[in-house]
Amino acid sequence: MKIGVLGWDYGEMDPDAPCLVEAGRERGHEMALFTLEELAYTPGAKGGLNIEVGGHDAESFDAIISRAKLYGDDWQDRVERLTLLSKVPGLRLFDPAEVWVRGYSKFLTAQKLAEAGLPTPPVRSAVTLAEVETAWKEWGATIVKPSFGYRGVDVERVTDFPTQTAVVEELLARYGTLVCQPYYPTQYGEYRITVAGEVTPINMLKLPAAGSWRCKTLEGASFEYFEAPPELQELAVRAARVMGITLAGLDVLPTEDGYIILEVNPIPGFLNIFGPERHQQTLHGVFDWVEKQVSQP
């Protein structure tokens, strides 16, 4: 098959895009790497647009694996580009634009998972201080954050609303609408399960740094590999399939009432964090899934 990899970049920020290309070549595929900026449009033979990507006619590919970045000041252009690529006749895109937007959106993720009966936190939207206060009065400690966010930026815990109104006002001014969810204690850590097609090669336990509630490795949280129990692996794979994401990083919190799925991230990074064997399992898990889907009518 001819398979393209739509990279975040050429390996500077995301080293896994070139690794996917190499893994595909090992499996006998014709591979090409390009970025979203390399999409070009020319007049189509029957009107509309002909789409080229990295100098290739997009219709010449059997499949494209996308690790494209949608964040940034130019997000409208980037979403437009990925949407147009998603509509190319005969091309299987892993994953199309609507899947990526759903994965980025906290509201859309919560709705999609809940429709499938998967465990998610309760969610409220807030566009005013009063609406955040309503959430805080209902749940006590409350997480407030933007619906479209990444790496935990501007995620705040409101424990005493009257003394934290300035923080909430700043977030409301910046984003307009905030996601409100009850805060669940994190002292026992948070799981990161990486799903590649139908397998979970990378299972991580993240523990917050002393004095912190955040399970963010970039903020000092520790992490270690652990053998995820079958029910957690099954939950993660099911959630990834419900979301339609080929390669997903799920943040799952253990609670007294069972697992709670916090996020299903569409561009998990650090795929080599536990060594080359699990890295290769992840890359080939992606191709196992892509080959399976393309071979089906």
Side-chain angles (χ1 to χ4, degrees):
M1 287 191 289
K2 183 176 181 180
I3 300 178
V5 174
L6 187 60
W8 185 291
D9 53 28
Y10 279 89
E12 294 81 7
M13 294 292 293
D14 177 21
D16 293 305
C19 291
L20 279 165
V21 171
E22 183 59 32
R25 287 178 178 148
E26 291 174 2
R27 296 171 74 105
H29 299 301
E30 179 184 351
M31 301 295 301
L33 175 62
F34 34 76
T35 67
L36 204 54
E37 289 83 358
E38 293 178 83
L39 263 71
Y41 317 124
T42 57
K46 299 180 181 179
L49 300 176
N50 182 66
I51 299 177
E52 296 180 356
V53 57
H56 302 261
D57 188 329
E59 292 190 34
S60 70
F61 288 94
D62 297 294
I64 291 179
I65 301 168
S66 177
R67 289 184 64 79
K69 175 177 75 75
L70 296 187
Y71 288 114
D73 294 337
D74 59 345
W75 66 267
Q76 298 98 325
D77 175 65
R78 304 180 71 79
V79 171
E80 181 181 58
R81 287 170 179 264
L82 193 60
T83 300
L84 285 167
L85 191 60
S86 301
K87 304 301 182 182
V88 170
L91 171 66
R92 297 293 301 273
L93 183 60
F94 297 88
D95 300 309
E98 63 181 30
V99 170
W100 288 79
V101 172
R102 184 163 62 226
Y104 277 118
S105 165
K106 307 298 187 295
F107 287 125
L108 291 174
T109 294
Q111 183 74 352
K112 188 69 174 178
L113 294 178
E115 287 174 352
L118 293 166
T120 61
V123 175
R124 283 182 174 271
S125 66
V127 297
T128 66
L129 272 175
E131 288 174 334
V132 175
E133 185 177 18
T134 296
W136 173 71
K137 287 180 176 178
E138 179 179 0
W139 297 323
T142 299
I143 299 296
V144 294
K145 56 188 177 183
S147 182
F148 286 86
Y150 68 105
R151 293 181 178 175
V153 174
D154 286 336
V155 176
E156 298 290 346
R157 180 177 61 164
V158 177
T159 56
D160 182 22
F161 179 80
T163 66
Q164 294 178 270
T165 55
V167 172
V168 176
E169 284 180 326
E170 184 177 345
L171 291 177
L172 286 168
R174 187 173 302 148
Y175 297 105
T177 302
L178 297 177
V179 178
C180 300
Q181 296 175 327
Y183 166 73
Y184 295 91
T186 58
Q187 71 267 30
Y188 300 115
E190 175 183 295
Y191 299 127
R192 163 56 73 95
I193 309 296
T194 299
V195 175
E198 297 176 294
V199 297
T200 61
I202 303 173
N203 304 317
M204 181 189 303
L205 170 64
K206 298 183 292 182
L207 292 166
S212 175
W213 58 272
R214 298 176 187 268
C215 296
K216 298 295 179 184
T217 55
L218 294 177
E219 298 180 13
S222 61
F223 65 90
E224 60 186 42
Y225 181 82
F226 85 112
E227 293 291 340
E231 66 271 15
L232 178 55
Q233 295 182 53
E234 291 168 6
L235 177 67
V237 172
R238 183 183 170 201
R241 298 283 63 78
V242 165
M243 292 291 291
I245 301 175
T246 299
L247 178 60
L250 289 90
D251 293 329
V252 183
L253 193 68
T255 74
E256 293 180 352
D257 299 320
Y259 298 120
I260 296 289
I261 302 172
L262 301 178
E263 293 193 12
V264 187
N265 301 285
I267 311 185
F270 304 104
L271 300 182
N272 62 350
I273 196 166
F274 291 121
E277 181 178 354
R278 296 197 179 278
H279 190 203
Q280 289 297 307
Q281 290 173 358
T282 304
L283 300 176
H284 288 284
V286 170
F287 279 98
D288 286 342
W289 177 254
V290 168
E291 291 166 5
K292 178 180 177 179
Q293 298 308 304
V294 173
S295 67
Q296 295 176 351

